[in-house]
Structures are given as structure tokens and as C-alpha cells.
Amino acid sequence: MISGRNGSGKTVLLEALAGILHFPQGEIQYDFIQGDTWQQRYEEKRRLITYIPAHALHAYLRGSHDLFYQQRYYEMGDAAVPTVRDLLGTPAERLREMDIPDSLSIEHLLDVELTRLSNGQLKKFLLLKSFLKGVPKLLLLDSPFEGLDHQSREDLCQFIDFIVSRHNVQVILVDHHHHLPSCINRKLTLNNFQIEKSEKFTGALQGDNSTIGLVPGREVQVAQEEVISIRNLTLRYGNLTLFENFNLRVMKGQRWALVGRNGSGKTTLFSLIFADHPQAYAQGIYLFGKKRGSGESIWDIKRRINYLGPEQVSYLNPKSILVTAREYINDVHQTVDNDIFEKLIEFFNANEVMNKHVRFLSSGELQLTMIMMCFLSNRELLLLDEPFQFLDDIQKERLTQYLLSHLKPETTLILITHYEHDIRKWTDQKVQI
């Protein structure tokens, strides 16, 4: 396992091991690469090394400039989006022949467009696709557990242990805080692109039930003012029913946790609230006391809501952004309050991050950039979809402290998370979908 602060070089090390990055000095030697020529060694690396990056969706969207992050909610345009079956390029029988745990099966997703997959479903697809090409000697996983629900994390642990014991695969993964497969027995800690510590690793990291650093309970004073009302929501995609007669009522100042398995519809529900989903007009959805479609524009709604979600990063493709993080935020927001911006930079100790080009940001630094963009304005409703993912422990604590000091009592919060300690920290009520 490779750990370390955001920006310490974890992803760079994986990309170097995968042969993606090349350096002017030094050499990486593999005992399983036997080719005599550069071309032979290159082909062996492609065949025997599998690397799955943290934001692997970028690889499949590259060049598809007509795709946008709300597209999974629209019927129009999906003809150009490949399905899981298209990208696997193999019949369903081949999947059944693979000796893998049933819990990782994606047969039910074969005819689903890639843009409609949840974060957890995408991870399963990428793993199985890589193994359909052949069992690698070296499997490199960048933050594989981020975005997965508890059972999916357990399933992934079992799958990794299975391939190690059955096929003798060497696994190197980046992680901050999850429980890990039992096969992981070494830990490498990086600091500023240097090895800070190399040690044996025994036992799991912090689990889901940690009580460390819980936020003291607050006195809840809920105003009798309705912020969200969802009445008898029914939403289907073909034969898939996400919601049927679903009801939710959120009052001003309440703090809600939205929980459920990967693919259960949590992010879709956020899209209905944040005016990204076209079916909001046909449903009984009321925001700030008004029914959707009663005359307000999408931008009237968005001006009252701050939203942070993993799909914003998935469709960002940071490798194509040549400006600094500071310049990018200014370009997106156009009218940035510089005083608020500078205070955010100081609070998160992010001056170095803001001066880096977006294409060179680590996953955690990119997540921090999106968080700061979200907090540039104070709005009535805050929708946070897994805000702590990819952050190291120090930045997680800073985000916790920022919410404690800047989240006003009258601000309504809905949090999507797969971690029980986040629910205990931040929410008064919970809805399972």
C-alpha cells in the first residue's frame, strides 16, 4: 500500500510503475519483463501490468466532446455513448466463465450506457474489463475504494485477495483510510516525492465505525420553512426502477444523510434537486416552496444551492486544462470575491495547490479545488456528494473544521456518504434509498 499527503507523489509513482511516466534518469526493473528490445519490453508491460487510475472515466470520455456530466439523465444523445457490453467486447458467457465472486458480477449492467453507471458500478466494470484481457502480473490501483459503499468495499477486498491467491498477482494500491485486503502486507509512506517510511503492514486501517473526532451535537432549531418536498417520485430507465412513490420533506436548517448502495439513485436524486435532471418537471418536486416548472429558471434554482459531486470531476478531464487551479476557479466563477477566495486558500493551506496547473493536480488536490469552488458563496442549500473522498487526514480535518465554523444554523445540508462516522458527525436525519 502507498500512502501519504495529497500531492506527495502517490499517483506519480503508480504511473511510473505502469510505464506511463518516463524520467530522464534512473530505471525501473521488473523481474517478469524478459524482452530483449525496447519494443518487446513495451509490449510485455502492456500485457502484464494493469493500471486503473482514480478517475478512469476520463479515458473513455477523451475525444467525446459532446458528452456532459448531466447526460446520464437524458435520453437524447445516448446512441453515441457506448454500453458496458460494447466496451467489454465479449459475450456474457465469457463473464460467467471467469472464476470470480458473484458479488462482482455486472451482467445486469451489460446494456447500460457508460454515462449511466454509478461510481461503484464503474469500478467493477474497469476491474472486469482489465481481467478479460488476461490476468496481469502487476495490478496497480489508485484509490480503488473511494466512492464504494460498505458491501462493495468488502467485495473488492475479497476479489483482490482472490486474484492474489489464485493467480499470484502482485497488487500495489493507493489508499488513505479504508480497511484493506488481507494480502496487503507492506506500507510505503511518501512525502514530497520521497520515501518517508517503508514498513510491514498488519491489520486494517481505520474502519467505518471510528468514533475519533466526532463533532459535538448541536441544538437543532428547525424553521417551519420547507426547502425540499418530493412527492410520490417515480423514476424508471427501461426495466430499471430507481424510485417508486418516493417521498421526502426537508425543512430549513435540517441536516440529512442520504445513504444507499452504489447505483441506488443517490446522485440521481441530487440531480433532480439541483435542476440537472429533465424529469424533475414531470415529477412532484418542490424547491423553496415552488413546484419545478412553475416559472423559475434552472439558474434561479442553482443560485440558491451549492453542489459538490464526483461527476463534476469525472467530466472535467483535468489533463486537458493547462491553466493553474487559481486561474481555473476565476475562469469558472468569473466574479470571484477575492477576499473570500484568499481566506479559503489560507484556511486550507492551499497556496501551493492553487499555483499548480490543473493537469498536474493529484486526486486529492483536485477534490480540494472543487471544494473551494463550492464554498466561494454562501447559499441556502448545500448538497455534498461524498465530499471527503480522496482527501488525506489533515485536509479531512480542515474540511470538518471549515464546516463547523462556516455552516450557518439556517443552512440546509444533505450529505451523501458511505461512512457511518460521517453520518454521526454531520446529520440529524437519514434516508435510505
Side-chain angles (χ1 to χ4, degrees):
M1 177 187 69
I2 304 173
S3 68
R5 293 287 311 279
N6 293 143
S8 61
K10 302 182 295 297
T11 297
V12 170
L13 179 55
L14 285 190
E15 290 181 343
L17 292 172
I20 297 172
L21 290 181
H22 302 279
F23 302 98
Q25 293 182 341
E27 180 184 2
I28 299 177
Q29 296 182 343
Y30 311 85
D31 60 6
F32 54 85
I33 302 296
Q34 306 297 330
D36 294 326
T37 67
W38 181 91
Q39 184 64 32
Q40 288 175 339
R41 291 192 294 272
Y42 172 76
E43 293 296 334
E44 286 186 14
K45 287 179 185 178
R46 289 190 61 187
R47 181 170 55 88
L48 298 176
I49 300 176
T50 293
Y51 170 53
I52 299 181
H55 299 293
L57 185 59
H58 297 152
Y60 295 97
L61 298 180
R62 193 171 297 127
S64 301
H65 303 297
D66 292 334
L67 296 179
F68 50 96
Y69 87 88
Q70 306 101 322
Q71 182 152 354
R72 66 186 287 194
Y73 311 121
Y74 286 75
E75 297 296 335
M76 296 173 56
D78 276 351
V81 180
T83 65
V84 171
R85 189 188 302 273
D86 294 333
L87 291 171
L88 286 178
T90 187
E93 291 74 18
R94 177 72 178 89
L95 284 176
R96 298 189 191 103
E97 292 171 3
M98 296 180 67
D99 188 12
I100 61 173
D102 292 339
S103 54
L104 272 174
S105 173
I106 59 170
E107 282 193 54
H108 62 293
L109 300 174
L110 288 176
D111 295 315
V112 177
E113 295 84 2
L114 187 66
T115 52
R116 294 192 188 276
L117 294 182
S118 72
N119 195 11
Q121 291 168 336
L122 180 65
K123 297 282 179 69
K124 292 181 180 181
F125 156 74
L126 292 170
L127 278 170
L128 291 180
K129 179 173 172 60
S130 69
F131 274 76
L132 282 169
K133 297 186 302 182
V135 178
K137 287 290 186 180
L138 177 61
L139 177 61
L140 306 171
L141 303 172
D142 194 349
S143 306
F145 296 99
E146 297 289 0
L148 298 188
D149 60 60
H150 178 82
Q151 187 58 53
S152 293
R153 294 195 301 274
E154 293 284 355
D155 293 342
L156 182 53
C157 283
Q158 293 175 18
F159 180 68
I160 293 173
D161 283 331
F162 168 81
I163 61 174
V164 168
S165 62
R166 178 65 63 89
H167 299 289
N168 197 31
V169 176
Q170 176 70 50
V171 176
I172 301 177
L173 59 84
V174 166
D175 195 84
H176 283 301
H177 65 290
H178 298 97
H179 54 272
L180 296 174
S182 59
C183 64
I184 300 298
N185 55 23
R186 301 289 303 183
K187 180 179 178 181
L188 191 70
T189 303
L190 300 184
N191 183 16
N192 195 27
F193 299 91
Q194 300 288 328
I195 296 176
E196 184 177 79
K197 184 187 300 184
S198 178
E199 58 189 326
K200 291 183 178 180
F201 178 80
T202 56
L205 295 180
Q206 177 179 308
D208 294 348
N209 297 318
S210 171
T211 58
I212 298 175
L214 293 187
V215 176
R218 68 186 181 99
E219 184 178 347
V220 182
Q221 295 179 341
V222 179
Q224 295 304 307
E225 183 178 333
E226 193 175 77
V227 175
I228 300 170
S229 177
I230 300 177
R231 307 173 189 178
N232 298 318
L233 170 65
T234 298
L235 195 59
R236 296 185 178 91
Y237 293 107
N239 296 324
L240 174 64
T241 299
L242 276 182
F243 298 97
E244 187 163 13
N245 296 323
F246 176 84
N247 294 274
L248 177 66
R249 188 168 184 246
V250 178
M251 307 300 290
K252 184 175 181 178
Q254 286 184 331
R255 310 287 162 81
W256 281 81
L258 186 58
V259 300
R261 292 295 306 272
N262 292 131
S264 62
K266 301 181 299 298
T267 300
T268 297
L269 192 61
F270 266 17
S271 75
L272 289 161
I273 297 170
F274 194 53
D276 282 336
H277 202 302
Q279 291 200 38
Y281 295 100
Q283 302 287 342
I285 297 179
Y286 296 76
L287 299 176
F288 307 107
K290 293 183 179 180
K291 188 179 187 304
R292 285 299 315 278
S294 61
E296 83 289 355
S297 72
I298 288 177
W299 303 112
D300 289 333
I301 295 170
K302 290 181 181 289
R303 275 192 289 269
R304 304 177 72 174
I305 302 174
N306 274 333
Y307 168 67
L308 172 70
E311 288 191 330
Q312 293 171 316
V313 175
S314 294
Y315 288 82
L316 180 63
N317 195 0
K319 298 298 183 185
S320 66
I321 299 177
L322 306 181
V323 299
T324 66
R326 184 189 299 269
E327 291 168 335
Y328 176 74
I329 291 176
N330 276 292
D331 289 344
V332 171
H333 274 265
Q334 295 182 347
T335 56
V336 172
D337 187 317
N338 287 323
D339 185 53
I340 294 177
F341 193 12
E342 291 303 321
K343 286 180 179 178
L344 279 168
I345 293 173
E346 181 181 1
F347 189 94
F348 287 101
N349 193 24
N351 194 61
E352 184 176 343
V353 174
M354 289 297 101
N355 291 328
K356 289 176 68 173
H357 284 73
V358 174
R359 65 183 306 185
F360 297 127
L361 294 180
S362 70
S363 297
E365 291 170 334
L366 187 59
Q367 178 76 357
L368 180 61
T369 299
M370 304 307 289
I371 287 170
M372 293 173 64
M373 288 177 63
C374 180
F375 292 153
L376 278 172
S377 57
N378 290 316
R379 296 180 178 175
E380 301 164 59
L381 175 60
L382 183 58
L383 305 176
L384 298 180
D385 192 342
E386 301 185 64
F388 296 96
Q389 68 174 353
F390 299 114
L391 298 182
D392 61 45
D393 289 341
I394 291 177
Q395 290 295 16
K396 281 177 185 164
E397 180 59 26
R398 284 178 178 149
L399 177 54
T400 294
Q401 293 303 321
Y402 188 85
L403 288 170
L404 275 175
S405 58
H406 291 78
L407 197 61
K408 298 179 179 179
E410 63 271 18
T411 301
T412 306
L413 168 68
I414 305 179
L415 173 75
I416 292 178
T417 182
H418 294 298
Y419 297 95
E420 187 63 34
H421 56 269
D422 288 340
I423 296 172
R424 296 198 303 271
K425 277 183 178 182
W426 293 114
T427 62
D428 312 312
Q429 304 182 63
K430 179 171 71 172
V431 59
Q432 177 98 29
I433 62 174

